[in-house]
Structure formats: structure tokens, C-alpha cells
Amino acid sequence: MLVALSVITGCAGRAPDASPDRSPAVSAPRPAIHLGERDSLVPGGPPLPFRVSVEGRLTDAQAAQRVLGLYTGLTPDRLQVREDGAWHDVPLQWTNEQDDNGEFVAVLPLAHHGKARRAFDFRLFTADRERGSGEGPTSTVAAQLARKGWTPSAHAAASAPRLRLPIDPTHLAIEAPDVLRATEGGPPVEWKVRVRNAAGKLTRSGLRIAITLGPGAAGQSVSGLPWSVEDQGDRGDKGRWTDLTGRTHIETDEFALAPGQSRTVRVRLALPRAAPGYSEVGAVLSAAVTAPWWPSDPEEPSGVSSGAESTNVLVER
């Protein structure tokens, strides 16, 4: 059951959505934010659903001239709205281009297919982060109504209803050796990445381990380097290695980690003898934990990352 957490109305001066309706029997439209039973946002975890309802008098004609501004203090975010029976991404814009003192805001028309919308169903995602880089134990979502053509300010109006979202401070931990050294033309070296759910209370589901191969401090091209990943399937074929020569990025199958549980992926990489024109050969293996619903760029996977400088595979001289 959705529970209204807060509705703040009224402020000194003219509000961004001051209504032309002056009759005391008519209440101007105003937003309210409601949250379901699960009221904690887990970085890298499942999305958090919430609803913004429009209370008071609202005609189709009024809705056609109004927009809903939804502010969120999370960085980075992904916001979706449910329309026509499906979830759709909502563009987020930064409200202050000059410095970091701003927020992300989404602007949505209050009318849909010519009809006034009295409720918006949203879900909010936030990427997992490395330890110490989160925004704090809570974040804020605020909503306000405004006229079409309204330009969002750096912060929501004081009269906007706000919802404080507790942020689970736990992050998935990636463990990897500091440095691995291989010899040109020598046997492959084995590199392990261990991902652990240190939550202690929350099961983390829908996870993937992303591994990227990039040029090392001494390398120029990695497309020809032979490397492989041990099969992680549940079909009893562990110990079989999948050749990834010619590729630079791979993500494991989707899996879940119970509190305290971990998963290890083994990677092998060999350094061939330097090709003509190459004075040295080197590579960097980096890892991240991603979620299937989060847009991931192979060059910079979203989620918890292990610093590339700590996973160098370089030539042993």
C-alpha cells in the first residue's frame, strides 16, 4: 500500500504554479509524493518505485498548460516513468552548469494523450559506487508543478513536497592482486577477481561481473593478446576456459549474492613475443560489477570498479 510521506503546501510570495482559481471552494493542483513498503534505495540494486500524485482541482485544459518538475539528488541516476503499460526512460538535466551546486531534474507534461494525469508512477535507479564515493546516508526527491516553458532552478521551491530516501551504504567489494607480471612468449598468468556482498542483510541480485582488457602502460594494442575466462556456468563445466582473443570486454552471466556470499572469476592472459614494430607489450585488466538494467559502456562500465592501476599485467624484464 502506498503511503503519503509528506505534502507541503503554501509559501510566501507567488509559487511557481500559482493557480488562477481564486474561489475558496476550489483547491489549486499540487503534487504529493508516495512511497511503497520498500523505502530504502540500494546502490546497484533493484529500482525503487514511488508515485507522485496530483491533488486538488485539475482539468484537462489546466493540465495542458502545466508540467511536473521532479528533482533528484543522486548522481548518477536513471529515472523511468510508467506510460501506456511500459517503463520509459525520462531524460534528466543538470540544473547548474557552472559548478557542482545543482541537482538533476526531469520535466514531464502534466497531460498525456490530451488528458490530465493525476498520478505518475516512477522508479529510480542508482549505480553502485566505490566505497567512500557515495552522497551520504540519505538523498532527496522533490516534486513541483509549474507552467509550460518553466526553466528549472538549481533547487526545488521551498513549498515542494520532498521524500527522503535512505541509501544503503553497503557496496559490493572487488578484490584483486596488486600486480601480475608475465613474460613475453611465456606461460599465461592467472588473475582472479572476487566480488563479495558485504551487505550483511540484503541479498544483491541481478549482478554481472564485467572484465575489460585495455592497453597497459607499455602496450599499444590488445586486440591480438590471447586471454581467456573460466566458465562460470552451473552446468558442471567449470574448469573449461573460453578463448577471448580478439575481444576486449566480457560480462558474466547474471547472478545473485546472498549476504556475505562471494563469487570469483578466474582470468588467464598471455603475452606473445613483441611483434615487429613493438618495443614492449603490456595490458591492463580492469573489472566492475554491473546490473542488467543499467546502461553499461564497455570502455567505462557502470558500477563498482577496481582501479586499473592495481591490475596491471606487464612484461617481466
Side-chain angles (χ1 to χ4, degrees):
M1 177 179 294
L2 297 174
V3 181
L5 292 193
S6 61
V7 178
I8 305 176
T9 59
C11 66
R14 182 181 176 87
D17 187 55
S19 172
D21 303 313
R22 300 304 182 191
S23 169
V26 176
S27 59
R30 60 194 182 278
I33 300 179
H34 309 264
L35 188 65
E37 293 180 359
R38 185 169 58 84
D39 58 356
S40 179
L41 185 61
V42 180
L48 178 67
F50 63 95
R51 171 173 289 188
V52 175
S53 62
V54 181
E55 301 179 350
R57 180 180 181 273
L58 180 65
T59 66
D60 294 344
Q62 287 176 320
Q65 300 302 316
R66 286 174 167 83
V67 296
L68 172 72
L70 189 73
Y71 291 80
T72 173
L74 295 168
T75 309
D77 304 339
R78 186 184 183 192
L79 179 70
Q80 291 186 327
V81 64
R82 189 167 182 83
E83 293 179 343
D84 302 323
W87 290 103
H88 302 277
D89 287 325
V90 179
L92 291 165
Q93 56 181 296
W94 185 245
T95 58
N96 192 339
E97 296 293 341
Q98 302 302 316
D99 55 40
D100 293 335
N101 186 26
E103 293 171 293
F104 283 99
V105 62
V107 180
L108 298 95
L110 209 54
H112 186 60
H113 298 319
K115 299 293 184 180
R117 286 196 278 193
R118 294 192 170 275
F120 294 79
D121 287 316
F122 292 104
R123 61 181 185 180
L124 181 65
F125 302 80
T126 181
D128 218 328
R129 300 170 178 83
E130 296 181 36
R131 288 186 182 274
S133 62
E135 284 79 13
T138 63
S139 187
T140 301
V141 172
Q144 66 181 93
L145 301 182
R147 301 290 180 179
K148 288 184 66 175
W150 163 73
T151 299
S153 59
H155 300 286
S159 61
R162 299 170 191 276
L163 180 66
R164 291 200 174 274
L165 301 176
I167 306 298
D168 188 294
T170 303
H171 300 283
L172 295 165
I174 293 182
E175 301 171 11
D178 291 336
V179 176
L180 289 175
R181 297 196 177 276
T183 304
E184 287 186 36
V189 294
E190 186 170 304
W191 179 77
K192 295 180 181 179
V193 54
R194 178 173 177 258
V195 178
R196 182 171 55 90
N197 178 12
K201 59 179 180 178
L202 295 176
T203 296
R204 308 296 291 274
S205 60
L207 302 174
R208 297 179 303 191
I209 300 175
I211 302 172
T212 303
L213 180 68
Q220 300 181 38
S221 173
V222 296
S223 61
L225 292 186
W227 67 301
S228 56
V229 172
E230 185 182 30
D231 195 286
Q232 293 292 303
D234 297 323
R235 301 182 300 273
D237 49 6
K238 285 191 175 184
R240 188 182 68 180
W241 294 83
T242 301
D243 181 28
L244 300 174
T245 304
R247 299 177 60 178
T248 58
H249 181 79
I250 187 174
E251 294 188 358
T252 66
D253 59 307
E254 185 177 336
F255 61 93
L257 287 178
Q261 191 177 31
S262 65
R263 183 169 185 174
T264 300
V265 174
R266 298 165 63 199
V267 182
R268 285 179 179 172
L269 188 147
L271 296 177
R273 296 194 179 279
Y278 286 71
S279 59
E280 293 179 298
V281 177
V284 168
L285 285 163
S286 58
V289 178
T290 66
W293 41 259
W294 192 265
S296 178
D297 180 355
E299 297 299 325
E300 190 176 353
S302 304
V304 176
S305 298
S306 178
E309 67 279 2
S310 68
T311 58
N312 283 311
V313 179
L314 301 174
V315 176
E316 180 68 57
R317 291 296 184 184

